[in-house]
Amino acid sequence: MSYKPDHREFQLFVKPIGALCNLGCKYCYYLDKQDLYDEKSAVMSDELLEKYIIQHLEASTEEPVLFSWHGGEPTLAGPDFYRKAVALQKKNNPHKKNILNGIQTNGVNLDDDWCRFLANENFLVGISIDGPENMHNKYRISKSGEDTFQKVMKGYKLLKKHRINSEILCVVNAYNVNFPIEIYNFFRSLGTEYMSFLPLVNHDSNYDTGVTPDSVPAKAFGDFMIAVFDEWQENDIGKIKIQLFEEAFRTAFKQEHTLCIFKKTCGGVPVMERNGDVYSCDHFVNHDHLLGNINQKHLTALLDHPKQVTFGQAKFNTLPGYCLKCEVLEMCNGECPKNRFIKSSEGENGLNYLCEGYKKFFTHCTPFIDAIAEVWKTQA
């Protein structure tokens, strides 16, 4: 039986340890997903791991084939789990497809053994750091309330020591949003070449603002990114890549976005929990968005499920008119549906909470993007 179309673009976030984590970050939206399943510490079985890898390779129409390991904290599965995963990828790859592995970690568990493995197998590693020590420790704490910065920095230094291709992911929240240049300079001092700034938005109607107090104010996030952009433009073009900037620049070359939140439609980044359940998105892991289980249906059938197609198309189909008239629509496309819970100035529902910030930032960098486009046209 084959479900494979000619082209299927997807990135599946696989959670071999589920929502289990060794930290207790105050803003984490996934910790409560531990209640989804009875077994709180179960690791994905070897049988399911192999079944998943086979189905992932069969579902993939593009190369490289990317395996994305997430959590919770995925290193809690232990390095031997990933050694098995890599061995199974090689065993079940008859067509010799190019395979990449990526893992997102808080860095606390990293040691030389971990890093030798990650380096030998060319893993891409994302490590979460929210800025210098006082900013990082504001929300990224242990379950017992202890600071984590020193442990995370030890892990990051090991990644550098072993020359592992790593990216710093910084959650921009209500506190650290006030220090854009200090944060950027700190990351730059660490020698990183890749940065992502992720705005924290935890929707909660119990607050007048509609979000939790730790969530980043929309305008402040725009100002934060403008400050970082200006510093980057002045000193670091060609040296450092910042995910949001890279996505904005794609419009200069008439390229599609690679990041799901800026695509016209979404649905290409589903989630698989440790028991094989597949959900529409990392932010929609609930009963309404359960697509099925790979033990009962092939992964291709779940990726192409009409329910998932509808989920993805709804992103564009539910855009308010305010967005459709926006001059920077192609840069944003309404951003992530999970953040679209405020009203537009015209009273329409479904405007993105971060709209003011994104619009301010994209408008600010548009002259630079237009200049890039002109240069590209003359050289084409």
Side-chain angles (χ1 to χ4, degrees):
M1 184 181 296
S2 175
Y3 307 93
K4 182 187 279 188
D6 293 333
H7 175 77
R8 180 188 296 107
E9 185 179 332
F10 72 95
Q11 180 182 3
L12 184 66
F13 284 1
V14 178
K15 298 175 181 282
I17 200 72
L20 192 68
C21 191
N22 51 349
L23 298 189
C25 300
K26 296 178 183 178
Y27 54 58
C28 183
Y29 64 90
Y30 210 80
L31 280 177
D32 63 357
K33 300 302 177 184
Q34 292 182 66
D35 297 333
L36 279 172
Y37 305 102
D38 292 334
E39 296 179 87
K40 296 293 189 290
S41 60
V43 181
M44 182 183 293
S45 70
D46 292 353
E47 179 185 8
L48 181 61
L49 175 62
E50 183 163 24
K51 181 177 290 187
Y52 156 61
I53 286 170
I54 291 170
Q55 292 188 18
H56 188 120
L57 285 165
E58 290 176 346
S60 299
T61 62
E62 308 296 318
E63 292 189 46
V65 179
L66 177 62
F67 288 83
S68 299
W69 307 100
H70 281 246
E73 174 48 44
T75 61
L76 291 175
D80 285 345
F81 174 88
Y82 297 98
R83 289 189 179 98
K84 277 185 289 190
V86 170
L88 289 169
Q89 289 167 357
K90 294 173 181 176
K91 171 189 171 185
N92 294 289
N93 187 17
H95 300 295
K96 305 301 180 185
K97 292 181 178 180
N98 181 22
I99 291 174
L100 285 177
N101 283 280
I103 190 167
Q104 176 59 39
T105 179
N106 57 41
V108 170
N109 283 342
L110 296 179
D111 56 20
D112 279 308
D113 182 45
W114 257 112
C115 289
R116 276 190 293 269
F117 164 71
L118 295 171
N120 289 339
E121 299 299 339
N122 296 312
F123 267 62
L124 308 174
V125 179
I127 184 167
S128 297
I129 309 174
D130 282 358
E133 187 164 7
N134 64 314
M135 300 179 204
H136 177 91
N137 287 335
K138 178 72 173 177
Y139 296 114
R140 298 193 67 81
I141 57 176
S142 71
K143 290 188 182 298
S144 59
E146 297 173 341
D147 295 342
T148 64
F149 179 81
Q150 292 301 330
K151 292 180 179 179
V152 175
M153 289 310 301
K154 180 181 178 182
Y156 178 77
K157 289 173 183 176
L158 284 169
L159 292 173
K160 295 293 287 185
K161 171 187 171 183
H162 289 270
R163 299 180 180 179
I164 294 168
N165 189 5
S166 57
E167 176 181 18
I168 291 177
L169 280 78
C170 173
V171 175
V172 184
N173 52 65
Y175 177 62
N176 65 3
V177 72
N178 299 299
F179 309 97
I181 301 304
E182 187 173 345
I183 289 174
Y184 181 69
N185 286 339
F186 172 67
F187 290 158
R188 184 164 51 186
S189 74
L190 297 179
T192 185
E193 296 177 21
Y194 304 96
M195 304 179 197
S196 286
F197 295 99
L198 311 178
L200 176 63
V201 181
N202 280 331
H203 181 35
D204 191 331
S205 58
N206 290 318
Y207 294 94
D208 291 340
T209 58
V211 295
T212 55
D214 52 9
S215 297
V216 66
K219 180 178 179 297
F221 178 67
D223 291 336
F224 178 98
M225 293 310 307
I226 287 170
V228 172
F229 179 82
D230 289 347
E231 181 68 18
W232 171 86
Q233 186 180 5
E234 183 70 24
N235 298 299
D236 296 312
I237 293 177
K239 301 176 187 175
I240 294 174
K241 289 189 176 181
I242 297 175
Q243 188 182 54
L244 179 56
F245 302 171
E246 294 292 307
E247 289 297 319
F249 299 158
R250 295 184 73 81
T251 60
F253 306 108
K254 304 301 179 184
Q255 296 173 330
E256 289 188 18
H257 288 291
T258 58
L259 192 61
C260 63
I261 61 173
F262 296 130
K263 287 178 177 285
K264 189 173 181 179
T265 60
C266 62
V269 190
V271 166
M272 190 178 84
E273 265 284 349
R274 64 177 182 266
N275 70 336
D277 282 347
V278 178
Y279 295 87
S280 293
C281 169
D282 197 39
H283 295 285
F284 293 86
V285 176
N286 53 48
H287 176 75
D288 290 342
H289 294 90
L290 176 62
L291 301 172
N293 188 292
I294 67 167
N295 286 305
Q296 283 81 48
K297 287 188 177 181
H298 195 285
L299 179 61
T300 51
L302 301 178
L303 295 171
D304 300 340
H305 198 292
K307 185 175 179 179
Q308 186 68 350
V309 174
T310 299
F311 172 82
Q313 292 175 338
K315 178 180 179 181
F316 182 79
N317 293 340
T318 59
L319 276 177
Y322 179 86
C323 293
L324 296 174
K325 295 179 289 186
C326 181
E327 60 271 20
V328 294
L329 173 62
E330 66 174 355
M331 294 185 187
C332 171
N333 285 310
E335 208 245 5
C336 184
K338 84 173 184 70
N339 295 331
R340 285 159 49 172
F341 52 81
I342 66 172
K343 291 181 181 291
S344 72
S345 57
E346 299 162 353
E348 297 173 283
N349 291 320
L351 186 66
N352 196 295
Y353 166 82
L354 293 166
C355 173
E356 182 181 8
Y358 274 123
K359 189 169 186 178
K360 188 172 186 181
F361 167 71
F362 286 132
T363 301
H364 179 82
C365 67
T366 292
F368 180 79
I369 293 171
D370 289 344
I372 293 175
E374 285 301 314
V375 171
W376 177 64
K377 287 176 185 177
T378 60
Q379 295 178 350

